């Protein structure tokens, strides 16, 4: 026993020398309050607006926020913008996702704000509702509801400014239903931008019997981008093939649940339509998240 302890102590000391640590500044925190029970702070992102006037924002997702009067629901979630000030209660709800067509969709408990990302200074913003439902044959014996999810893209001033903006980012809509296909897609449980600002990616972990799927789309910013970046969209299972066998993980793996970054080296012409996820951009996963928001 003593010998084993003697071997363990030097190993432990070596592990301490190889480790690293950092301190969190607890004296200069930015504290913001949200409605109780709204899960205010479930997702956060810092965003820098450059025009029409410079501004800095703390973007906060509150996926259990009460519904707007026009949404035909009780709780839908929402996105909030908080100025970088010492005030506790100066956040405001970003006016997106207003209205509803109950013959084709349901926003009840859709979890808008489950993910929030900024493209960087002067860039776009994305926030998603992964439990958004598409409805078919409403009030008929064979009514179905598909939990496809959807995402909203906004311009840098948190408004809809161009054809890329709005809530029509829902790639699972209109695809084959059922839990083994796209009927429980859950697009937007995670979303991200590529560091070179040319692509947007969406995780859809409920696809293919919860095997999961990752979709990458070109986020065109100008006509020059249309000429230079004519590739995509891509999916881990093939955008056209829609073949779950191309994703080398078993069912219930929740692949692409938390994609956050990738390498940005442009693919060669021979690799424009990769067949296997091994040829795809690298996926990273948060180890932890620490925020000082409460709701």
């Amino acid at each position: 026993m003593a010998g084993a302890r003697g071997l363990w102590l030097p190993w432990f000391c070596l592990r301490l020398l190889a480790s690293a640590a950092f301190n969190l500044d607890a004296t200069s925190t930015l504290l913001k309050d949200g409605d109780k029970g709204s899960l205010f702070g479930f997702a956060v992102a810092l965003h820098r607006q450059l025009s029409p006037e410079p501004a800095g924002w703390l973007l906060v997702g509150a996926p259990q926020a009460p519904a707007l009067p026009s949404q035909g629901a009780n709780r839908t979630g929402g996105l909030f913008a908080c100025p970088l000030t010492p005030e506790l209660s100066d956040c405001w709800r970003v006016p997106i996702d207003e209205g509803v067509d109950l013959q084709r969709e349901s926003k009840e408990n859709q979890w808008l704000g489950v993910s929030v990302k900024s493209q960087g200074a002067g860039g776009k913003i994305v926030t998603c509702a992964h439990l958004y439902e598409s409805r078919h044959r409403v009030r008929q014996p064979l009514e179905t509801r598909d939990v496809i999810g959807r995402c909203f893209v906004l311009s840098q001033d948190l408004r809809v400014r161009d054809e890329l903006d709005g809530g029509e980012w829902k790639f699972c809509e209109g695809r084959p239903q059922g839990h083994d296909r796209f009927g429980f897609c859950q697009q937007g449980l995670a979303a991200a931008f590529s560091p070179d600002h040319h692509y947007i990616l969406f995780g859809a972990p409920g696809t293919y019997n919860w095997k999961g799927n990752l979709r990458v789309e070109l986020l065109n910013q100008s006509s020059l981008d249309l000429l230079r970046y004519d590739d995509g969209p891509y999916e881990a299972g093939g955008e056209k093939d829609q073949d779950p066998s191309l994703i080398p993980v078993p069912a219930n793996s929740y692949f692409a649940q938390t994609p956050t970054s990738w390498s940005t080296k442009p693919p060669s012409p021979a690799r424009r339509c990769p067949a296997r996820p091994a040829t795809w951009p690298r996926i990273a996963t948060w180890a932890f998240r620490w925020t000082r928001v409460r709701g």
Side-chain angles (χ1 to χ4, degrees), residues 42-91:
F42 190 89
V44 295
L46 286 171
H47 176 68
R48 184 182 174 192
Q49 174 184 322
L50 301 180
S51 66
E53 62 275 332
W57 301 102
L58 175 65
L59 302 176
V60 182
Q64 286 289 285
L68 298 170
S70 63
Q71 288 182 305
N74 295 308
R75 289 188 179 273
T76 59
L79 174 67
F80 291 80
C82 306
L84 302 182
T85 66
E87 296 295 326
L88 287 176
S89 305
D90 58 354
C91 301

Side-chain angles (χ1 to χ4, degrees), residues 56 113 128 137 144 152 156 159 164 171 194 204 212 293:
C128 301
R137 299 177 293 275
T144 61
F152 290 82
Q156 61 170 306
R159 298 180 183 275
L164 295 175
F171 73 89
S194 64
V293 290

Side-chain angles (χ1 to χ4, degrees), residues 65-130:
L68 298 170
S70 63
Q71 288 182 305
N74 295 308
R75 289 188 179 273
T76 59
L79 174 67
F80 291 80
C82 306
L84 302 182
T85 66
E87 296 295 326
L88 287 176
S89 305
D90 58 354
C91 301
W92 51 276
R93 187 166 183 164
V94 180
I96 58 174
D97 196 29
E98 297 176 289
V100 66
D101 182 354
L102 293 176
Q103 294 301 309
R104 56 184 296 269
E105 63 183 353
S106 173
K107 298 180 179 180
E108 183 66 65
N109 202 34
Q110 66 176 351
W111 277 59
L112 178 61
V114 69
S115 57
V116 180
K117 286 291 187 296
S118 168
Q119 198 178 19
K124 298 284 188 181
I125 299 133
V126 63
T127 187
C128 301
H130 74 298

Side-chain angles (χ1 to χ4, degrees), residues 2-78:
R5 185 178 302 164
L7 292 173
W8 177 83
L9 186 59
W11 176 87
F12 179 72
C13 293
L14 288 173
R15 294 291 295 176
L16 286 177
L17 290 174
S19 65
F22 64 93
N23 293 324
L24 295 176
D25 184 1
T27 60
S28 302
T29 57
L30 183 67
L31 183 61
K32 299 292 182 180
D33 274 342
D35 290 340
K36 185 177 180 180
S38 68
L39 298 185
F40 182 84
F42 190 89
V44 295
L46 286 171
H47 176 68
R48 184 182 174 192
Q49 174 184 322
L50 301 180
S51 66
E53 62 275 332
W57 301 102
L58 175 65
L59 302 176
V60 182
Q64 286 289 285
L68 298 170
S70 63
Q71 288 182 305
N74 295 308
R75 289 188 179 273
T76 59

Side-chain angles (χ1 to χ4, degrees), residues 157-220:
D157 59 350
L158 313 183
R159 298 180 183 275
V160 174
R161 294 290 186 187
D162 56 46
E163 66 276 6
L164 295 175
D165 297 340
E168 295 306 311
W169 296 86
K170 39 186 176 180
F171 73 89
C172 293
E173 186 175 48
R175 291 192 174 187
Q177 300 170 283
H179 66 84
D180 58 335
R181 299 296 290 169
F182 299 94
F184 212 78
C185 193
Q186 294 183 301
Q187 175 195 341
L189 186 57
F193 296 102
S194 64
D196 64 2
H197 294 186
H198 290 297
Y199 300 93
I200 186 170
L201 77 91
F202 302 107
T207 311
Y208 303 132
N209 198 22
W210 292 274
K211 175 178 274 196
N213 194 12
L214 174 68
R215 182 176 174 92
V216 178
E217 293 199 38
L218 184 64
L219 193 69
N220 297 318

